[in-house]
Amino acid sequence: MHPHTLLSAGCCLALPCASALHLREPRDASPRVVQFDLQRKEIRDKVAHDRNRLNRRADTVSAKIDNEQLLYSLNISIGTPPQDFIVAVDTGSSDLWVNAASSSLCERRSKPCDASGTYSANSSSTYNYVGDWFNISYVDGSGATGDYVTDTLRFGGETVKDFQFGVGYDSSSTQGIMGIGYPAGEAQVAAADQRTYRNLPAQLAHDGVIKSSAYSLWLNDLDSSTGSLLFGGVDHARYTGDLVTVPILRPQSSPYSSFYVALTGLQLGNIEIAQQGKSEVAVVLDSGTSFTYLPKSMVAAIYDAVGAEYSATEGAAFVPCSLADQQANMTFYFDSPAQIDVAMSELVLDAGNSIGGGQADVCLFGIVPSSGLSLLGDTFLRSAYAVFDLDNNEISLAQSNFNAKKSKISEIGTGDNAVPSATKAGGTAATSAGPSSTSTGSDADDGVGMLRPCMGGVLASLGLAGLGLLL
Ligand SMILES: *[C@@H]1O[C@H](CO)[C@@H](O)[C@H](O)[C@H]1NC(C)=O
Ligand SMILES: *[C@@H]1O[C@H](CO)[C@@H](O)[C@H](O)[C@H]1NC(C)=O
Ligand SMILES: *[C@@H]1O[C@H](CO)[C@@H](O)[C@H](O)[C@H]1NC(C)=O
Ligand SMILES: *[C@@H]1O[C@H](CO)[C@@H](O)[C@H](O)[C@H]1NC(C)=O
């Protein structure tokens, strides 16, 4: 999910689950990494789901599908003695927050928050109050307000004392969220004009649990319900081909706060949807969004090609389920040679019972028109192995190795080229002169002015690319 602070109109979302995690103990000989197993689960509470649907405003684009698809979640505990939570992992926001048991949402008779956990400050001896300015709202219209507090955070064998997070005394989401974006994207920075605090990636790096603020995300394919989030490392067994590093883009006159990269082309089978190098769209890699949101002109061309029917009232596009059998890829191009193939079978999603009239053979299509911000959500991310390097403001991408069983983990180090075995993209886009804003195609509402990192940095990195990338 993406915080509201970055745009005005509504779009995306997804929902609750359960999770698993384990930890690789930092030892001298083995890499310093922390690994979580992520879990994706189908919603069971259809009644709550329907109530949420009815409560949503008609103007949120995906109002009717938000709870239909699934987020990736992990287990944590907070407080002394520990209180357990299942939180959704979100690269599109930067705060951890959990619900308070006393919120009006959680106190409903059906106890909708119990499955993912609620926090009782009064039951924790290590709780400390920070301030009452916690207020986060996501582009799908959901949000939470309450206090920022600190308490002991635990996951696996790792313990982080005095970790800052939000407590939702008033919220519209039954599950808490673990935002792992840039500290500058924290709700207290945008909404309350406060300074940043160390969120999870920053705190793990600060405490020396990992060497730099970086992690790898592997969601695995649609048939699989588990993925993994690896702090501080890269698992070479979970991708094929090469990891290619592209720069993260920065909004004009702001610090890096979101995982924007330049989408430089899009191809469906042999149909060119957006010609490579002709225009760039700034897209956010957002694990907290189930679907992929692209500019309307691109989406119209895609729908033409696949025969999708868009329903504005459902905020979703429908296709025959048999489309999944088509042997074609949607290829997303980034700074050359970075590209990710998304198979048609990964873009056709089960519609469930409560949407599309429950007709057999009607499926959801995984790409929908954006209303302001282009987001590459889970329908894209499942096909990629993505390394988010917050210290170097870069993302390394490779084709996912679906259902990889083995692991071959190496540590992400520090300094330039910290991501092992990754090479820098050197496409025309990356080497065009100076910081420039990206063109966003013909849709006026997709305009987010972005700056590329300054040229010196890109060139210096290119020069080093062939040297010592391995640890
Ligand atoms: C995560 O929490 C769920 C629900 O409490 C539990 O079923 C599951 O076993 C947990 N996973 C791990 C690895 O602890
Ligand atoms: C803790 O309990 C006290 C007394 O019951 C109450 O007044 C206070 O609001 C509670 N604090 C929190 C943070 O829940
Ligand atoms: C939270 O922020 C939103 C958006 O800026 C605002 O409309 C709302 O009043 C705020 N809520 C609280 C409780 O401060
Ligand atoms: C789709 O992409 C995958 C991964 O790159 C590749 O192995 C496969 O051959 C491609 N299929 C088609 C039909 O192009």
Side-chain angles (χ1 to χ4, degrees), residues 451-467:
L451 294 179
R452 283 182 172 274
C454 75
M455 207 44 216
V458 173
L459 282 184
S461 316
L462 283 172
L464 291 173
L467 299 177

Side-chain angles (χ1 to χ4, degrees), residues 292-316:
T292 288
Y293 292 77
L294 292 174
K296 294 185 180 89
S297 58
M298 274 192 198
V299 173
I302 296 167
Y303 287 0
D304 273 355
V306 300
E309 304 238 355
Y310 183 70
S311 158
T313 45
E314 299 278 11

Side-chain angles (χ1 to χ4, degrees), residues 280-330:
E280 284 181 12
V281 179
V283 293
V284 181
L285 299 184
D286 187 1
S287 70
T289 295
S290 295
F291 286 74
T292 288
Y293 292 77
L294 292 174
K296 294 185 180 89
S297 58
M298 274 192 198
V299 173
I302 296 167
Y303 287 0
D304 273 355
V306 300
E309 304 238 355
Y310 183 70
S311 158
T313 45
E314 299 278 11
F318 299 95
V319 290
C321 297
S322 57
L323 183 66
D325 303 329
Q326 295 285 318
Q327 299 298 312
N329 286 331
M330 179 92 72

Side-chain angles (χ1 to χ4, degrees), residues 59-71:
D59 63 5
T60 59
V61 177
S62 59
K64 306 218 171 147
I65 55 171
D66 56 0
N67 274 354
E68 209 48 59
Q69 296 305 320
L70 335 135
L71 281 183

Side-chain angles (χ1 to χ4, degrees), residues 383-397:
S383 297
Y385 190 85
V387 187
F388 297 81
D389 179 348
L390 288 73
D391 280 355
N392 286 310
N393 304 309
E394 290 171 336
I395 290 174
S396 304
L397 294 169

Side-chain angles (χ1 to χ4, degrees), residues 240 269 326-331 339-343 399-400:
T240 60
Q326 295 285 318
Q327 299 298 312
N329 286 331
M330 179 92 72
T331 305
Q339 66 180 70
I340 299 295
D341 291 324
V342 180
Q399 196 70 36
S400 174

